[in-house]
Amino acid sequence: MAPKSSKAVAVKHAEPHGYEFFGPPGAFVISFGLPIVIYAFTFLCNDISGCPVPSVLAPSTLTIERLKQDAGWPTSGIYGLASWDVSAKVLGYYLLSLVLHRVLPGEEKAGVELATGGTLKYKFNTWSSTMVTFAILAAGTAYQGADFPVWTYIYDNYLQIATANILIAYSLATFVYVRSFSVKPGNADRRELADGGHSGNMLYDWFIGRELNPRVTIPLLGEIDIKEFMELRPGMMGWAILDFAFVARQYRTYGYVTDSILLVTFFQVLYILDAFWMENAILTTMDITTDGFGFMLSFGDLVWVPFVYSLQAKYLATYPLTLGPLGTAGVLGVLSAGYGIFRSANNEKNRFRTNPNDPRVAHLKYLETKSGSKLLISGWWGTARHINYAGDWFQSWAYSLPTGVAGYLVQRSSVAPATGQSLANKSFVYTGPTEYTEVLQGSARGYGMIITYFYVLYFAILLIHRERRDEAKCIRKYGDDWKKYQQIVKYRIIPGIY
C-alpha cells in the first residue's frame, strides 16, 4: 500500500524523551529476563507433578535433579526446548495470517499525521481473517472433537511453540533495528524514527524500538506494516487458540468442561474479538503513534500476550474447578462492576468532547486550559485522573478468580483410589493407559495463585506505568494547567487509595 501524500509538509519538533524502564539496565533485564519468566511458568506449573511443582514447596530438600524431574525438563536438555518441526508449523501459522491479510477484502484507513507530514495507509481485515481461521478450527473440532490434531499438537508441544515464538520475537526485533539505519530524512516512503528510540544506546534502542512504523514488502503478499500486523494478529489470535486447546484438553481428560474454564475463555475471547472488531481504533493508540517497534513490542505481542494471558485456562485444563451458580455470579459481578466503571467513564468523556451541551454531561464542571482544552473535574473524572484504568483493573480479576484458591499436586498410581478417597481429598481422577492420576490441592493449595493471579499484579504494574506516561505527556502539553488540575483531582487511578 502506497503512503498517502500530503500537500503541505509541516515538520513537528519532537518533544524531549528520557529513558524509560530504567534505561539500558532495565532494557537488559526485561529483554533477557522475561523469556526466563515464560519458561518458569511453563515448567513450574504443569500436569506432571503439580502447580507449583512439589520441589519448590520443600526448598530444604530441593535438588536440581528432583526439580528437573518434577518440572518435566526435556531428556535432551536445552535442545529439547525447541523443535524444527514445531518451528516450521509456527511459521506456517504466521504465513497463514499473512495470506489471509493479503487475499481477504478489508477496510483501508489513513493513520494519524506523521511528524514529517502525510499519513500511512492501513488495511484492516483481522476480523474476517479470524472468522476464517475459527471456521477451520470449528470444522475440525466438529468432525474429530477434542481429539482434533490442532488441539492435541498445541498441548503436546506447548514448550516448543513458546520457544519458536520467543526466537521469532528476538529475530524480528533485530531485523527492524538493523533496517532502521536505512531511514533517511525526507524519504518518499514516510519512514520515521520514533522520538524515544534513537538514544544512541544500542541495547536500549533495540529494546524500545528505533523505527516508528517499519514496513516490509513481501513477494506475492504485498506491503506489511510490521507493528500493526504483529499487534493484533499472531499473538492475540494465538491467545484465543491456546485457550481453545486447553478447553479441549480438559474435555479430553475428564469428559466434561467446567464453568470456570468456560468463563475464562469467554471473557478473554470476547476481549480479543472486541479488539478485532474495533481494529482501526489502534491507529490512535500510543503503540502506533508514539512507540517504535523493538523487542518490547515484538516480545509483548508474540510471546507475553498469548502465553501469559492464557495461564488461567492452562491451569484449569488440569484442575477442573467448578464454581457453581454462586461462584459464577460472583465472578460476573466483579466483571460487570469493572466494565461499568470503564465504559461509563469513557462514555462520559466522549460525550463531553463531542457535545458539551448533551443533557447527560452538561452539568459537569471543568477546568479550561490555556490551549482551549477542557479538563473534567466532576463526575467520574473528578474522582480520579485515570478512573477508566480502575475499571480496567477490576475487570482483570475476572480472569483469575475462576481459578479460586489455586494450587494442585499430581499423584500417579497403578492402583485406583479407594472408594470415597477422591471425595475426601476433593480431588479429580482420570485414567491413563497404565495408571490412575489423581489431581488434588494438598500442600499446594494457595501457592498456585502466584501463577494464576500473576496477570492481576502484572496488569496493575502496566496500568501504573501507562498512567505515568500519560501524566508526563499531559504535563508537557498543558504545563501549569495540569498542575492545577492535579490539585483539584488528587487521585490518579483509585479514589482514596492511589
Side-chain angles (χ1 to χ4, degrees), residues 207 227 231 287 291-302:
F207 164 76
K227 183 165 64 172
E231 185 88 3
D287 284 359
D291 296 333
F293 186 81
F295 182 77
M296 179 182 74
L297 287 181
S298 179
F299 185 86
D301 293 342
L302 307 182

Side-chain angles (χ1 to χ4, degrees), residues 62 93 122 135 198 224 275 395-396 398 473:
L62 177 65
Y93 164 70
Y122 295 83
H198 48 106
I224 302 295
Q395 290 181 78
S396 73
K473 183 178 179 181

